[in-house]
Amino acid sequence: MTLGTYEAQFVKGDPVMLDYTPGSAVDAGDVVVVGDLPLIAHQDIAANALGALAAGGGVYKVTADAAIAAGKKVWWNNTAKKVTETSAGNEEFGYLSPDSSAAADGDVVRVLHKPAAGP
């Protein structure tokens, strides 16, 4: 399974969307870290144009950095563009879905997007 050009691909759910105006263009599927909050673009947003980012409540396919057990809390590593169990230097992203577990670095997993500030 691959994500193609997406960092996070929406699977299902009812995400809370927040208004966002980026300084540079954002592609659908990008994870945008604002302060300590990892938000997800569902649609392309042009530079300096009002758009919206998901702040939690959806299930997304993302890439894991290692084997992670189902139900474990994960953080977004914005440098590697992957979820990790390492909290230091990363932003809280959510929880690995019960129907996923990564077998190795680079595996695609499902994550409930529920950052600390999310719903």
Side-chain angles (χ1 to χ4, degrees):
M1 187 179 337
T2 180
L3 292 177
T5 60
Y6 292 106
E7 294 173 5
Q9 185 177 21
F10 181 69
V11 176
K12 62 182 174 181
D14 190 17
V16 172
M17 303 301 285
L18 300 176
D19 287 345
Y20 180 71
T21 304
S24 57
V26 172
D27 294 328
D30 282 357
V31 176
V32 178
V33 177
V34 178
D36 294 329
L37 188 60
L39 305 167
I40 302 168
H42 281 219
Q43 298 178 339
D44 293 343
I45 308 171
N48 303 309
L50 179 62
L53 300 174
V59 174
Y60 295 83
K61 290 181 188 176
V62 295
T63 304
D65 74 345
I68 303 172
K72 296 296 279 185
K73 185 182 281 189
V74 292
W75 285 260
W76 181 253
N77 179 327
N78 204 39
T79 301
K81 306 298 184 192
K82 297 177 182 180
V83 292
T84 180
E85 284 190 279
T86 303
S87 62
N90 299 310
E91 310 308 330
E92 186 175 329
F93 193 86
Y95 298 86
L96 205 70
S97 173
D99 66 352
S100 289
S101 74
D105 182 11
D107 281 355
V108 175
V109 294
R110 291 179 186 228
V111 174
L112 170 61
H113 183 224
K114 188 170 177 53

